[in-house]
Amino acid sequence: MGDHAVAFPDVNRLRRLSYPGRQIFQADQPSIEESSTTKSLKNASPDEHSEDGCKSFAGIVELEAALLEILELVRTVAPTDSTILRFNVNKEREARVALETAFQQIEALKDQLYKENLALRDEVDRVSMFEEIVGTSQALQAVLSRVIKVAPTDSGVLITGETGTGKELIARAIHKRSRRSERAFVSVNCAALAPSLISSELFGHEKGAFTGATQRRPGRFELANAGTIFLDEVGELPADVQVALLRVLQEREFERVGGTVSIKVDVRVIAATNRNLEAAKANGTFRSDLFYRLNVFPIEVPPLRERKDDVLMLLEYFVHRYAKKVGKNFGKINKRTLELFRSYDWPGNIRELQNVVERSVIVSSDGVFGVDEAWLSRNAGQAPWRHPEVANTDGHSNPELQIIEAALAESRGRISGPKGAAAKLQIPPSTLESKLKKFKISKNNFKFGQGCVLES
């Protein structure tokens, strides 16, 4: 309790207040008694007072005033028990409110730290196909022209193209040239997520929403708020997640798994797929309303076989990149390697070229870079095998089918495992199995590196 500035009565002045026959206040007297003279003075009329009596009566009045001062002093300096109780209750209430506020701040900081760590971990673990857009071909320049036009807007973009063409790189280029470039870019590979966990990954979940949900977790859309989210292989989303994604695109809100509160988000959605969503829409595996929401501004990334002018530039770029990593120095590339790279169709596109160069850098001696011809000769110079049931009307084979067959031929029909076709295509083995059924392909027909139509 704070100090109180109180004026104490003058005790010496009280000692001097007296009337005939008795001193009415003593400093060492614990109590004050009213004498018979005092009573008679109170009962007597003013006419009966003597001069001394008047002085005594005036002294009593002054004494009573002094006593009131003392009582006020006691009341001020020593508050009652009820005042102390109210003081303690108020202090306890203030402490409880401060504690609850501190806990809320801690939870908010934990959520923020979790979001930042998750986004940082995804960025660090991500192995991009290449760090910059490399190439000067006319086909690539047409794509970059569309990127420059759509980047400053907030319109949704649907990027299509074969596996390994660099669709994520195009998505990042759009984000870097947009007004959201200072905010997060969150990449999600929809094909790599288990169907039962896709909703939780995209939209988050509440504590206790399902077995193993020991705490509340924000989803990828929350992490990308005010930024950009890239949904790679969006054609692999199951039907129920397609409905939830459609709501986010239309209403800009969603609910966490197990939650009841709608969460507002401001996110730009860029989607990519190597599937033919038009065909998927026609056969009912992809919602038509979602397709139109995603396909606001389409960009098709050309395969590497249509960018022949960029092949040697990419070769030089990757040789320098991987040579620096392993501490080697290549002064030139042998002539036979240049001829192989020019003539090869690269069914795996840039990702395949990247892997071939990295492998060759490891085995090549310092000074001259060369590629083992056996790594390319299996498909080099050969016309691509054509599946009769999926060939287009213009005579060109289905690009997705070509990629799958090339991976099966390279893995000799093996689906799973580090050397399997699924790992080469960077998709789950279950996804590849479903594609084999779709195209009626038998993996047994690729045990010797040859592919053929499964006879019905």
Side-chain angles (χ1 to χ4, degrees):
M1 247 179 289
D3 297 334
H4 298 274
V6 180
F8 284 85
D10 188 350
V11 176
N12 293 325
R13 177 173 62 85
L14 296 178
R15 279 201 187 97
R16 292 193 299 270
L17 299 176
S18 61
Y19 55 89
R22 182 171 182 182
Q23 186 179 8
I24 61 173
F25 184 87
Q26 294 180 5
D28 56 350
Q29 186 174 338
S31 61
I32 300 174
E33 298 178 2
E34 185 173 317
S35 64
S36 58
T37 307
T38 304
K39 294 177 181 178
S40 61
L41 284 172
K42 286 183 178 180
N43 295 329
S45 64
D47 296 335
E48 296 174 319
H49 290 169
S50 65
E51 183 179 356
D52 291 339
C54 291
K55 292 180 180 180
S56 297
F57 184 80
I60 291 174
V61 173
E62 188 175 354
L63 176 60
E64 288 179 345
L67 290 175
L68 289 175
E69 291 182 21
I70 294 174
L71 292 175
E72 179 65 19
L73 171 66
V74 172
R75 188 187 68 81
T76 305
V77 175
T80 61
D81 291 342
S82 62
T83 304
I84 296 174
L85 180 60
R86 284 196 303 271
F87 176 81
N88 291 337
V89 169
N90 290 337
K91 286 294 183 182
E92 183 179 353
R93 185 182 297 111
E94 292 175 2
R96 184 167 60 252
V97 171
L99 187 61
E100 291 175 355
T101 303
F103 274 123
Q104 291 174 359
Q105 292 175 345
I106 291 172
E107 288 297 324
L109 290 173
K110 284 175 61 179
D111 280 351
Q112 181 181 353
L113 183 62
Y114 174 81
K115 293 177 182 178
E116 292 176 354
N117 286 344
L118 184 59
L120 180 61
R121 186 167 62 249
D122 286 348
E123 185 69 20
V124 171
D125 293 343
R126 184 186 62 84
V127 180
S128 61
M129 289 180 293
F130 49 91
E131 298 164 349
E132 299 175 359
I133 297 177
V134 178
T136 57
S137 65
Q138 185 176 356
L140 180 61
Q141 293 304 313
V143 171
L144 296 181
S145 175
R146 295 180 66 82
V147 168
I148 293 172
K149 291 177 181 178
V150 76
T153 72
D154 269 344
S155 298
V157 180
L158 178 61
I159 305 173
T160 57
E162 299 177 10
T163 299
T165 53
K167 295 186 291 294
E168 181 172 349
L169 187 69
I170 298 300
R172 288 181 177 273
I174 294 173
H175 172 71
K176 289 178 182 178
R177 288 160 178 80
S178 72
R179 292 172 292 183
R180 301 171 181 263
S181 58
E182 299 298 323
R183 307 309 293 265
F185 177 90
V186 178
S187 178
V188 184
N189 188 340
C190 301
L193 300 175
S196 59
L197 297 178
I198 292 180
S199 294
S200 174
E201 286 291 330
L202 292 180
F203 309 117
H205 62 255
E206 297 290 349
K207 181 179 180 181
F210 50 84
T211 303
T214 57
Q215 62 181 2
R216 179 169 57 84
R217 180 183 180 186
R220 301 300 180 92
F221 270 92
E222 286 182 76
L223 300 180
N225 191 29
T228 303
I229 188 168
F230 174 59
L231 302 177
D232 197 9
E233 304 301 342
V234 71
E236 304 297 329
L237 290 176
D240 58 333
V241 181
Q242 291 182 32
V243 175
L245 178 58
L246 180 63
R247 182 191 175 193
V248 175
L249 295 176
Q250 290 178 337
E251 308 295 337
R252 298 293 178 180
E253 66 179 22
F254 62 90
E255 295 175 2
R256 296 193 188 102
V257 177
T260 57
V261 179
S262 294
I263 301 173
K264 294 283 187 180
V265 288
D266 174 24
V267 178
R268 182 180 192 175
V269 178
I270 301 177
T273 182
N274 61 3
R275 292 182 58 186
N276 186 346
L277 291 187
E278 289 278 5
K281 177 170 65 74
N283 61 32
T285 58
F286 199 83
R287 294 180 63 96
S288 59
D289 47 3
L290 178 58
F291 171 76
Y292 293 123
R293 280 284 180 179
L294 294 172
N295 196 35
V296 176
F297 192 92
I299 295 179
E300 184 176 0
V301 183
L304 192 54
R305 61 181 173 273
E306 297 179 9
R307 297 172 50 192
K308 288 293 187 179
D309 295 341
D310 296 335
V311 170
L312 296 186
M313 189 178 296
L314 287 165
L315 169 61
E316 183 179 357
Y317 171 80
F318 283 124
V319 168
H320 175 74
R321 174 178 172 179
Y322 290 113
K324 186 177 181 180
K325 280 188 175 182
V326 299
K328 292 185 177 182
N329 184 23
F330 297 104
K332 61 179 180 178
I333 300 173
N334 66 43
K335 186 176 180 180
R336 179 56 181 162
T337 296
L338 296 177
E339 293 175 354
L340 286 173
F341 272 64
R342 285 195 188 101
S343 60
Y344 191 56
D345 281 336
W346 300 105
N349 294 296
I350 298 173
R351 186 177 293 124
E352 182 185 6
L353 186 148
Q354 176 184 353
N355 293 340
V356 169
V357 172
E358 184 177 7
R359 186 188 313 162
S360 301
V361 166
I362 295 173
V363 300
S364 296
S365 302
D366 278 348
V368 180
F369 174 82
V371 173
D372 187 349
E373 187 174 348
W375 294 342
L376 303 177
S377 61
R378 185 177 302 163
N379 295 305
Q382 298 178 4
W385 180 81
R386 198 171 288 172
H387 194 296
E389 293 186 4
V390 297
N392 296 330
T393 56
D394 60 358
H396 295 293
S397 58
N398 186 299
E400 184 180 11
L401 182 61
Q402 290 182 31
I403 296 168
I404 293 174
E405 289 169 343
L408 287 171
E410 188 174 352
S411 65
R412 295 187 178 275
R414 182 179 299 171
I415 301 296
S416 57
K419 296 182 179 180
K424 297 179 184 299
L425 297 174
Q426 296 188 358
I427 61 175
S430 58
T431 301
L432 181 56
E433 291 283 3
S434 65
K435 291 182 180 294
L436 295 184
K437 292 180 181 178
K438 172 185 175 182
F439 293 123
K440 299 182 179 179
I441 301 174
S442 174
K443 60 184 178 182
N444 296 326
N445 294 328
F446 293 86
K447 288 185 177 180
F448 302 99
Q450 301 293 327
C452 62
V453 182
L454 180 63
E455 304 248 345
S456 57

